[in-house]
Amino acid sequence: MTTRAQAIIRRAHERRQRALSEHDSKRVIAAYGVPTTREVLVKTPAEAGSAARRLGYPVVLKVCSAGESHKTEKGLVAVGLAGERDLRAAFGRLKERAGAGYAGDFLVQEMIEGSRELMIGMVRDPQFGPLMMFGSGGVEVEGLKDVAFALAPLNQAEAEKMIRKTWAGRKLKGFRDIPPADEESVIDVLIKLSWLAMENENIREIEINPLSVLSKGVIAVDVRIKTVA
Ligand code: ADP
Ligand code: MG
């Protein structure tokens, strides 16, 4: 697991990237068994088209470059693309917004529907080591301050306790008309991520936002990892 994660980080460092792209960040957490979106890196509209046919519509198209954050604010994400026409139009729009000279990657990925969104993260404290974060995801992160913190590594009981400290976590059990979601899988991601942080000291920050929670299973939809040399 560590070997695979470190190989991905090493190759990013060879390209002088300290902040990994969304796709590379996902490959790192996937090495620790965290489920991620099915997706394909492409450069051209034709490649995007064949990737989308393989994944199955609807798809999502994103600009995928190292260190890119706040993609939505910059207009670099197009969700709910229903067919090839939509996809080609979105490709043109995103390319324009990425800047005239953009020759980098685009990401075609499966569209995750009918989920709720959480955020799971890690920041490494110089004294205490990896500090895990859990809370509401999506656009609500900044507004709600519905976040809990705990030091890694986390065991089952500690991860569960952390989740219960937040409303986002408590409602996984279901509340009035909110149906229950797969809390077990969320706990599993927290534990795995805490071990990823323990075993890879050159990872400085991780943010999964959103982690989509389904009635069965979870999927990391957007991931950012920052490393040190
Ligand atoms: P950023 O956080 O950089 O703005 P994201 O990749 O998180 O970009 O995309 C922004 C939002 O778009 C997500 O919070 C999510 O709601 C939605 N989204 C992104 N990718 C997908 C996907 N594959 N399936 C469903 N929704 C998505
Ligand atoms: Mg995001």
Side-chain angles (χ1 to χ4, degrees), residues 1 22 42 47 55-56 61 82 93 96 108 116 132 144 152 166 176 185-187 190 197 207-208 211 228:
M1 294 187 293
E22 173 178 339
V42 300
E47 285 174 13
L55 293 169
L61 183 72
R93 268 195 325 269
E96 201 175 297
V108 182
R116 77 185 71 171
M132 305 305 297
L144 287 179
T166 64
R176 297 200 183 152
S185 295
V186 175
I187 291 170
L190 259 174
E207 189 183 296
I208 306 180
L211 176 79
V228 291

Side-chain angles (χ1 to χ4, degrees), residues 11 27 29-30 78 111 119 121-122 170 174 185 193 213 215 217 222:
R11 278 197 294 278
R27 290 170 63 216
I29 66 168
M111 171 95 192
M119 185 273 293
M122 184 280 293
R170 287 194 299 277
S185 295
L193 222 61
V213 189
S215 52
D222 181 28

